[in-house]
Amino acid sequence: MARVNLPVEVARSYCHGERNHDIAASDIRAIVKTLELQFPGIGERLNRGLAVAIDGEIFQEWLLQEVEVNSEVYFLPAIEGG
Amino acid sequence: MGNKKNHLDAIKTNEKFRFIGTRPIRPDGVDKVTGRANFGADFSANGMIHGRVVRSPYAHAKIKSINIEKALKMKGVKAVITGQDFPKIDPSDKVVGEVTVSFYDMSQNVIARDKVFYDGHAVAAVAATSTKIAEEAAALIEVEYEVLPAVMTVIEAMKKNAPVLHKGMKTEGLESGPKRSSNIATRTEFRLGDPAEAFKDAEVIVERDYTTQTVHQGYIEPHACVAEISADGMATIWSSSQGQFMVRALVAKLCAMNTSKIKVIPSEIGGGFGGKTLVYLEPLALLLSQQSGRPVKMVMTREEVLRATGPTSGGHARAKIGAKKDGTLVAAELEMEYEAGAFAGSPVKLGCMTGFSPYNLEHVSCIGWDVVVNRPKAAAYRAPGAPVAAFAVESAMDELAEKLDIDPLELRIKNAAVEGTRAVYGVKFPKIGCLETLREAQATEHYQIPLGPNQGRGVASGFWFNIGGQSSASVIVNPDGTVIVATGNPDIGGSRASMALMAAEVLGIDYKNIKPLVADTESVPFSDLTGGSRVTFATGKAVVEAAEDAVNDMKRRAAKVWDVDIDQVEWKDGIATCIETDIHKPMTIAEIAAMAGKTGGAISGKANINAKGAGAAFATHICDVEVDPETGYVQVLRYTAVQDVGTAIHPSYVEGQMQGGAVQGIGWALNEEYVYNEEGLLQNTGFLDYRVPVASDMPMIDTVIVEVPNPGHPYGVRGVGEVPIVPPLAAVANAVSHAIGIRMADLPMSPPKIVATIDAAS
Amino acid sequence: MAKHHVIAIINGDPAEFLCGTEQTLLDCLRDELGLTGSKEGCSSGDCGACSVMLDGRLVCSCLVLGVEANGKKVETIEGVAKGDELHPLQKHFLQEAALQCGICTPGFIIAAKALLKENSDPTETEIRYWLAGNLCRCTGYDKIVTAVQKAAAEMRGES
């Protein structure tokens, strides 16, 4: 089970504030699909302006990134550079 | 006047490498010292005409009508456009990628539709046969406005009955769904543990409010471009930007064009710092070119740059830190409100994520508010969001150190983030160099120098993520064995030299035989823009892989010539040798290249990557000041910047990033701010009154390069460009606070403000 | 309005051009003579990117009208090197990495050259105050000062 953590503002809008979700999946796309089934509309929101950290490494492009059995997955604001 | 250490002696060429770590002359350097290099405004096209922009004289107003008739009739005028000439973009159309603003907002920012949102907001544009005629025609464009009350500060904007800028804006992230339109775009929150509870265990608590002002990136080169579109719809744009592919993508979207029809040629860029990671003039110039049938050149004046291009957010921060008497931190809180400017999208989230990152905290929360105001849309500025957050956190740490009577560096060392520390945004740090920079700072000569009357010392740390991203590279071996390295990233700070050094290291040939260049959008595959401290890391990685690809190709050619298996071929120092037999004479790169046609064709290597494994950067700065209590003048006596750079590919350019970022931060701390009048009109629209540091303001900026190599890069590179601007705000504020004996929590610390603070206290 | 006919000596060569009353010397150098080495950063004489020598005097060419150059000698960045031989300032700016984006570099070299003509052995303070009229946003000035010191030493015959 991947431990998935959502940003507070997304959790409040779509998941009644629940930020932590345990999801069985092999990549982030599957995680988003699972969340969308539970919380309709969240898929579109997650595709907007977010990066994903998987076990400590931050990905700006994350759709097909693979996830391990016990991975920690954090949805984060996309990191803008200057 | 400062203590100048010559680090040229202290840093030996890295013994692991042959070229990396050396300080050769940059390949594009001669053009830059002779005036031959072409920046955005230096290009001309045959038949070119000139564009000027009509800008709003109000901070907030509805556009009731625009009459362009008189302008169109003027002799020499070839085209006039307004927002109506641009394709409509759906409000829900969001940008994916590095620029965190919606297309809808961006398109409105480039040229207004029904409303203007800041003094200087573009309303129309004219192209004419001379700049003079274009300006006269611009004055003939009649715009009827219905002036609305302007909301200039986050405090004003957040008030319950504040005039609302965008009717549809409802705050995202509130606990209960928002009911009414607001100027607050988002409330964001990051949390570990339970700080409210954990504060009960604190033996000492510091808590304070901090304020900062809007500041501009301050690049010396104003935005400039030439755009041309031919009758068959093929467009060419010459532009000064941080990313030719970004320009192409944004122009394509904003002008509803196919990207394959747009060629963007990057000029040399005269500074960006994040402010040129998006477009302002290019879509206007393109549409003017379309209407007029001529190439159109547009260059901003300094006044336009300050009125109408993205500054970075000013804002408020409240920092609260609790600790045990021995200095162990037990809990921390940060709440910040940032100016987004006219449209949503300040970097407050990044501020929340970075503020406490130098510290190991089990219980910490950071709340951020993104608030729109009638100022230009905030754009990225070197480590966006981080400096203001660090100003609050690092000032609070300093106050805590004072209260606990612990040395401020000791306090930080005691609580430093290390490998495995969890940041407030949840991620655990891999190998990092935070502690190393603190220890090195402690060990500097600077830190031991005793201070005199009216003098103060401040220290501060800082963190920036650094990013990877998409980069493409081609390594082309010429028939004589010299090499071209082509990438898609504009060179803001000397990156071409670093690309050549890395290629030289892989190929094993002299740096002088490598020509690195920045290619246009038709000559190299897609690359993310230059920014985010990513080029030496990600584009460097692509160059390394492309060079390895070329080496493999050359080994294959040698194997073919010798009629052996490729695994019999070794490559070292630019020469292929056959390991098993002595029958085959080694072949140099020049010899292999000369035979390329015979062995299969031209030789090149390529790599198109999405770089993973970017390494975060930490820095610690030390600042000494002397304050004249009568005039409030602050003299910076000494400044040392210590930073973990992973591996310094070209140490001089690494030092340059550290020094340049530090001085920008010093300017931010002491003098820079936007001054608006009551109507919301910008008063300081030039470099006289928007006061950036000049040479006589500064001492030498000493640098200490720390190298904790990043395992994610073949040579250990960490991004270096952004973290240098993160510590200085607090380093200077802490120094001034100690010099005058009063905590300064309001930037900039200009002379009148310091005098007022001293007078109020006595 | 008819244009003005200006005759001047630019980098040692006779030059002739037409300019409007409102055109600055900077406009004329860049747009009429194709000498784009001098840069426009502010149009108000605050950034020094347009620095040139006018009859031996350091000026901001954005504050000089084109017509004012009539009958005068102008030296721009394009005239600093002698053929392919760089001036010591240009050489040391490169060696010391005293430029990053390079937009301010032409102005700094002209200004520093003027300084070293007046004072062949300036102190760090003298260098900083002389160059206070040239803005750089990239380097923080540290390596620029070092480059000027080293060029001065070479020009004194000391290196």
Side-chain angles (χ1 to χ4, degrees):
Chain A
M1 285 293 198
R3 200 94 237 276
V4 179
N5 180 287
L6 300 174
V8 166
E9 53 269 29
V10 174
R12 280 185 177 167
S13 298
Y14 294 92
C15 315
H16 313 291
E18 181 49 64
R19 299 186 64 183
N20 293 306
H21 304 266
D22 288 325
I23 298 178
S26 56
D27 63 25
I28 304 291
R29 176 170 50 180
I31 288 177
V32 173
K33 271 202 182 125
T34 308
L35 286 167
E36 174 71 22
L37 285 173
Q38 258 194 294
F39 311 108
I42 198 175
E44 189 269 331
R45 177 61 184 92
L46 291 174
N47 275 312
R48 222 194 319 137
L50 294 178
V52 171
I54 305 171
D55 295 322
E57 185 165 0
I58 300 181
F59 298 92
Q60 308 290 327
E61 307 271 356
W62 38 261
L63 193 66
L64 301 176
Q65 290 300 332
E66 281 164 10
V67 161
E68 304 293 315
V69 170
N70 288 315
S71 282
E72 275 191 344
V73 175
Y74 280 81
F75 279 85
L76 302 170
I79 294 164
E80 168 186 41
Chain B
M1 183 76 141
N3 63 326
K4 167 80 180 142
K5 263 207 269 205
N6 192 337
H7 287 273
L8 279 165
D9 306 319
I11 299 165
K12 294 194 287 286
T13 301
N14 196 315
E15 275 154 26
K16 288 185 277 185
F17 304 117
R18 199 175 142 197
F19 297 103
I20 284 170
T22 60
R23 298 172 187 256
I25 304 237
R26 61 195 281 173
D28 55 302
V30 172
D31 280 351
K32 294 205 162 154
V33 297
T34 55
R36 271 206 301 270
N38 285 324
F39 292 82
D42 296 334
F43 182 74
S44 287
N46 287 329
M48 192 171 78
I49 59 177
H50 301 267
R52 300 291 304 140
V53 178
V54 177
R55 297 185 181 278
S56 166
Y58 300 109
H60 192 197
K62 283 192 191 144
I63 297 176
K64 308 221 60 188
S65 67
I66 305 181
N67 190 333
I68 63 173
E69 293 306 315
K70 288 189 186 139
L72 271 173
K73 288 201 182 92
M74 193 174 173
K75 194 151 175 234
V77 171
K78 300 295 178 192
V80 180
I81 58 173
T82 67
Q84 305 310 313
D85 292 293
F86 280 81
K88 286 202 175 353
I89 296 203
D90 199 89
S92 65
D93 210 330
K94 304 292 179 186
V95 176
V96 285
E98 286 191 38
V99 186
T100 52
V101 66
S102 77
F103 274 125
Y104 179 71
D105 287 346
M106 188 184 295
S107 128
Q108 286 193 77
N109 195 37
V110 164
I111 192 162
R113 304 295 200 274
D114 331 302
K115 279 180 84 175
V116 292
F117 292 98
Y118 53 93
D119 167 32
H121 193 169
V123 168
V126 183
T129 50
S130 74
T131 317
K132 184 168 173 218
I133 295 175
E135 275 166 6
E136 288 170 359
L140 293 179
I141 294 180
E142 294 163 343
V143 187
E144 205 191 325
Y145 296 100
E146 180 190 317
V147 182
L148 301 168
V151 182
M152 298 307 294
T153 66
V154 293
I155 290 181
E156 286 300 312
M158 290 173 87
K159 282 191 178 145
K160 207 160 171 203
N161 293 313
V164 165
L165 270 66
H166 302 281
K167 260 207 319 251
M169 182 174 286
K170 302 227 166 78
T171 310
E172 187 197 41
L174 295 177
E175 214 159 323
S176 57
K179 295 183 181 61
R180 20 175 326 178
S181 293
S182 166
N183 290 319
I184 303 170
T186 317
R187 176 193 183 280
T188 203
E189 184 178 334
F190 297 87
R191 181 188 301 270
L192 288 180
D194 187 348
E197 192 55 38
F199 269 113
K200 295 176 184 159
D201 295 332
E203 289 169 328
V204 174
I205 293 179
V206 296
E207 183 172 7
R208 191 178 288 274
D209 289 336
Y210 301 86
T211 310
T212 67
Q213 297 301 320
T214 320
V215 298
H216 196 271
Q217 300 83 350
Y219 31 85
I220 306 299
E221 180 207 26
H223 299 259
C225 70
V226 177
E228 174 172 13
I229 186 164
S230 55
D232 60 354
M234 301 304 276
T236 305
I237 300 175
W238 164 278
S239 135
S240 164
S241 80
Q242 289 177 239
Q244 56 275 46
F245 291 95
M246 170 276 301
V247 171
R248 185 181 72 172
L250 296 184
V251 168
K253 184 73 183 185
L254 298 174
C255 301
M257 282 177 71
N258 199 308
T259 55
S260 69
K261 294 205 182 325
I262 305 173
K263 173 177 178 175
V264 181
I265 304 169
S267 70
E268 297 292 334
I269 169 175
F273 314 110
K276 291 181 180 165
T277 57
L278 63 178
V279 295
Y280 295 100
L281 295 175
E282 291 85 346
L284 301 176
L286 198 62
L287 252 68
L288 286 169
S289 179
Q290 205 169 46
Q291 233 189 59
S292 65
R294 306 271 288 268
V296 174
K297 180 172 190 171
M298 296 185 78
V299 181
M300 281 198 193
T301 62
R302 178 56 48 184
E303 183 185 311
E304 288 179 295
V305 172
L306 286 169
R307 283 172 78 207
T309 68
T312 194
S313 314
H316 299 272
R318 179 173 321 101
K320 181 179 178 187
I321 308 183
K324 297 283 191 200
K325 284 216 193 78
D326 71 352
T328 312
L329 301 183
V330 300
E333 276 174 2
L334 185 63
E335 183 161 358
M336 304 190 292
E337 299 90 33
Y338 278 22
E339 295 163 355
F343 303 95
S346 76
V348 71
K349 295 178 188 181
L350 301 178
C352 286
M353 289 161 78
T354 55
F356 284 113
S357 287
Y359 306 107
N360 179 13
L361 285 160
E362 213 185 307
H363 302 279
V364 52
S365 90
C366 301
I367 296 171
W369 301 85
D370 183 39
V371 184
V372 295
V373 292
N374 289 115
R375 296 181 181 224
K377 167 81 188 76
Y381 179 18
R382 211 163 192 163
V388 173
F391 168 51
V393 170
E394 297 298 315
S395 296
M397 285 295 282
D398 192 66
E399 203 176 339
L400 186 64
E402 214 175 6
K403 245 181 167 170
L404 294 171
D405 198 20
I406 296 179
D407 172 86
L409 286 177
E410 232 6 274
L411 178 64
R412 289 171 170 81
I413 287 170
K414 195 179 180 58
N415 294 284
V418 295
E419 184 171 357
T421 298
R422 195 181 284 278
V424 72
Y425 50 96
V427 167
K428 281 196 194 148
F429 287 127
K431 194 157 178 58
I432 55 174
C434 180
L435 201 49
E436 285 81 346
T437 67
L438 289 163
R439 294 218 164 96
E440 287 285 337
Q442 244 187 355
T444 56
E445 267 178 44
H446 177 173
Y447 204 59
Q448 324 310 322
I449 294 175
L451 296 167
N454 294 318
Q455 294 182 0
R457 173 166 299 151
V459 302
S461 294
F463 158 84
W464 187 250
F465 317 86
N466 300 328
I467 60 176
Q470 297 182 66
S471 283
S472 301
S474 294
V475 169
I476 300 165
V477 182
N478 298 318
D480 63 355
T482 60
V483 170
I484 293 171
V485 174
T487 65
N489 283 97
D491 179 355
I492 313 185
S495 52
R496 268 168 293 196
S498 302
M499 297 305 124
L501 283 168
M502 285 184 272
E505 198 69 44
V506 174
L507 296 165
I509 66 174
D510 197 321
Y511 166 90
K512 288 196 185 68
N513 289 330
I514 298 179
K515 179 175 183 175
L517 57 89
V518 179
D520 64 50
T521 54
E522 292 179 351
S523 310
V524 75
F526 183 88
S527 301
D528 279 326
L529 53 76
T530 293
S533 311
R534 63 175 288 277
V535 172
T536 310
F537 169 73
T539 307
K541 221 174 179 181
V543 167
V544 167
E545 286 183 28
E548 285 168 347
D549 192 27
V551 165
N552 281 334
D553 194 358
M554 289 189 285
K555 284 163 80 173
R556 204 169 40 80
R557 308 303 179 99
K560 197 165 185 166
V561 169
W562 294 329
D563 200 18
V564 298
D565 279 333
I566 190 173
D567 52 19
Q568 302 253 311
V569 184
E570 268 185 346
W571 184 273
K572 191 168 152 57
D573 293 336
I575 300 173
T577 46
C578 186
I579 44 173
E580 286 246 330
T581 64
D582 288 318
I583 301 172
H584 303 293
K585 210 166 62 92
M587 291 180 79
T588 65
I589 187 173
E591 287 163 342
I592 296 173
M595 296 187 71
K598 297 190 177 75
T599 57
I603 298 169
S604 76
K606 78 167 174 72
N608 310 325
I609 66 175
N610 194 332
K612 300 182 202 178
F618 287 86
T620 299
H621 290 194
I622 311 169
C623 176
D624 291 352
V625 302
E626 182 172 315
V627 181
D628 181 333
E630 276 183 39
T631 64
Y633 176 70
V634 176
Q635 186 187 1
V636 181
L637 300 170
R638 290 166 216 102
Y639 201 97
T640 301
V642 183
Q643 183 173 327
D644 172 22
V645 309
T647 297
I649 301 295
H650 191 312
S652 302
Y653 290 106
V654 169
E655 289 160 358
Q657 292 299 311
M658 294 164 68
Q659 293 166 332
V663 171
Q664 283 181 314
I666 295 172
W668 194 334
L670 290 177
N671 297 100
E672 295 177 41
E673 62 180 317
Y674 273 40
V675 178
Y676 282 96
N677 71 5
E678 270 154 28
E679 277 93 58
L681 306 183
L682 187 61
Q683 301 299 290
N684 56 340
T685 57
F687 276 134
L688 182 64
D689 296 315
Y690 183 82
R691 181 68 166 75
V692 303
V694 304
S696 52
D697 292 330
M698 293 292 111
M700 291 303 205
I701 309 290
D702 289 343
T703 57
V704 177
I705 290 180
V706 170
E707 290 180 315
V708 177
N710 167 23
H713 184 279
Y715 296 126
V717 165
R718 294 179 190 271
V720 304
E722 288 171 292
V723 78
I725 203 176
V726 182
L729 276 60
V732 180
N734 292 339
V736 172
S737 300
H738 289 294
I740 64 175
I742 307 164
R743 174 61 46 183
M744 294 295 291
D746 178 11
L747 299 185
M749 295 174 288
S750 51
K753 209 179 265 180
I754 291 184
V755 170
T757 305
I758 294 175
D759 287 347
S762 60
Chain C
M1 172 154 299
K3 293 204 171 185
H4 305 275
H5 184 217
V6 176
I7 300 178
I9 309 242
I10 315 263
N11 297 325
D13 295 326
E16 250 182 277
F17 56 91
L18 293 174
C19 76
T21 315
E22 76 292 341
Q23 273 182 289
T24 64
L25 175 58
L26 180 64
D27 292 335
C28 297
L29 289 170
R30 290 178 56 81
D31 301 333
E32 308 306 328
L33 294 167
L35 295 169
T36 57
S38 307
K39 308 297 179 192
E40 181 145 23
C42 72
S43 331
S44 55
D46 295 308
C47 76
C50 65
S51 300
V52 300
M53 302 297 285
L54 184 64
D55 270 358
R57 190 178 150 202
L58 179 65
V59 298
C60 283
S61 58
C62 73
L63 292 181
V64 177
L65 291 176
V67 294
E68 291 183 72
N70 196 37
K72 297 205 168 84
K73 290 200 185 102
V74 183
E75 285 172 57
T76 72
I77 183 67
E78 287 90 346
V80 172
K82 296 292 167 239
D84 64 355
E85 200 187 306
L86 295 177
H87 187 278
L89 279 166
Q90 291 169 313
K91 227 176 52 181
H92 288 281
F93 263 65
L94 289 174
Q95 276 171 15
E96 297 306 313
L99 59 142
Q100 287 177 33
C101 80
I103 192 88
C104 70
T105 306
F108 267 99
I109 288 178
I110 294 289
K113 189 164 178 250
L115 165 64
L116 296 183
K117 200 155 144 229
E118 301 266 317
N119 178 352
S120 62
D121 193 2
T123 63
E124 183 190 330
T125 306
E126 286 170 329
I127 294 173
R128 287 183 178 279
Y129 275 83
W130 184 278
L131 295 177
N134 290 77
L135 298 183
C136 175
R137 197 56 163 167
C138 295
T139 67
Y141 305 106
D142 184 293
K143 291 181 188 297
I144 290 176
V145 171
T146 304
V148 174
Q149 287 171 325
K150 294 210 167 163
E154 180 179 322
M155 288 165 74
R156 290 193 303 270
E158 275 168 35
S159 61

